[in-house]
Amino acid sequence: DIQMTQSPSSLSASVGDRVTITCRASQSISNYLNWYQQKPGKAPKLLIYAASSLQSGVPSRFSGSGSGTDFTLTISSLQPEDFAIYYCQQSYSMPLTFGGGTKVEIK
Amino acid sequence: QVQLQESGQGLVKPSQTLSLTCTVSGGSISSGSYYWSWIRQPAGKGLEWIGRIFTSGSTNYNPSLKSRVTISVDTSKNQFSLKLSSVTAADTALYYCARYYYGSSGYPLDYWGQGTLVTVSS
């Protein structure tokens, strides 16, 4: 199985901050990397697919980059509604696997 | 707008079989470049992919659960289902169904159900 490692596991930030979350795959996954946002009591929501493509309806302050084994999710200016848990996920090979999540909390 | 809705048992006894169904609305389960997946999330923990099915009946399962999992599809009802046998307390989780879109680069899980809580307890 491909292991997905996210860092940090949690972070505290203020509204307006720039936030970067990192995801590393245990082997090259090309750009088969997706990012999800999960709020309490809700299902995960797709933010970014194919490492850097913004899902329809997702604000442009979210962006993704990377290829191979190293990927980042960036929120350019954190908004109150962005406090949530973020997961990366690889679709390069079965079984699909997720990172452990990064909890973004209010400072 | 595609919507997915899970339904099924909320409480299952240890050693019995968990059964859930996902109903797809807003589009045919048979059309397009989609697989249909199950994912679970224990309380306060991360996401675990269980498996997926294509409408032809072709399946892929997580090896960690493969011996206990069966996913099936009923295109006439626009539904797909999950059975997990010999459950233990470790199978207690929120279970989600989701659409896996292989027509898009990255092959994302682009639509999810709201999730249904399954508790394994005697």
Side-chain angles (χ1 to χ4, degrees):
Chain A
D1 299 3
I2 296 176
Q3 307 302 315
M4 306 300 295
T5 303
Q6 282 183 240
S7 59
S9 57
S10 66
L11 64 90
S12 295
S14 300
V15 172
D17 284 353
R18 181 182 183 88
V19 169
T20 299
I21 298 168
T22 296
C23 178
R24 175 165 288 176
S26 61
Q27 67 183 72
S28 178
I29 58 171
S30 184
N31 69 336
Y32 289 86
L33 188 284
N34 307 302
W35 289 97
Y36 303 86
Q37 176 194 64
Q38 186 177 34
K39 295 182 178 179
K42 299 292 187 181
K45 171 189 172 184
L46 178 65
L47 296 177
I48 301 284
Y49 63 94
S52 61
S53 296
L54 194 66
Q55 174 70 348
S56 176
V58 174
S60 59
R61 63 182 179 272
F62 290 94
S63 64
S65 65
S67 183
T69 60
D70 295 314
F71 302 87
T72 59
L73 172 70
T74 299
I75 309 171
S76 60
S77 178
L78 197 65
Q79 297 302 300
E81 60 268 31
D82 300 337
F83 293 95
I85 300 175
Y86 294 84
Y87 293 95
C88 61
Q89 173 258 322
Q90 66 82 20
S91 289
Y92 182 79
S93 68
M94 296 289 124
L96 305 185
T97 48
F98 293 85
T102 296
K103 187 173 185 179
V104 177
E105 298 177 298
I106 301 172
K107 181 182 284 184
Chain B
Q1 177 81 349
V2 173
Q3 293 186 311
L4 293 85
Q5 177 69 57
E6 304 89 350
S7 60
Q9 310 154 290
L11 180 64
V12 184
K13 289 181 167 52
S15 80
Q16 294 192 342
T17 296
L18 174 164
S19 294
L20 298 175
T21 295
C22 182
T23 301
V24 179
S25 58
S28 170
I29 198 171
S30 300
S31 65
S33 305
Y34 311 119
Y35 278 84
W36 303 93
S37 283
W38 288 97
I39 298 105
R40 70 181 184 178
Q41 184 173 37
K45 297 189 177 181
L47 298 158
E48 179 182 32
W49 179 76
I50 299 170
R52 69 177 189 180
I53 189 165
F54 191 60
T55 49
S56 65
S58 172
T59 55
N60 298 97
Y61 299 133
N62 193 322
S64 67
L65 298 167
K66 186 175 183 177
S67 63
R68 300 193 291 129
V69 172
T70 302
I71 298 176
S72 58
V73 65
D74 186 338
T75 56
S76 68
K77 294 182 179 179
N78 236 33
Q79 295 176 335
F80 62 106
S81 298
L82 169 70
K83 291 189 185 299
L84 182 65
S85 64
S86 305
V87 298
T88 69
D91 296 309
T92 294
L94 197 54
Y95 284 75
Y96 294 102
C97 58
R99 190 178 81 170
Y100 174 92
Y101 183 24
Y102 71 90
S104 169
S105 53
Y107 299 176
L109 296 155
D110 62 347
Y111 285 93
W112 296 62
Q114 65 186 25
T116 189
L117 179 63
V118 177
T119 302
V120 178
S121 175
S122 56

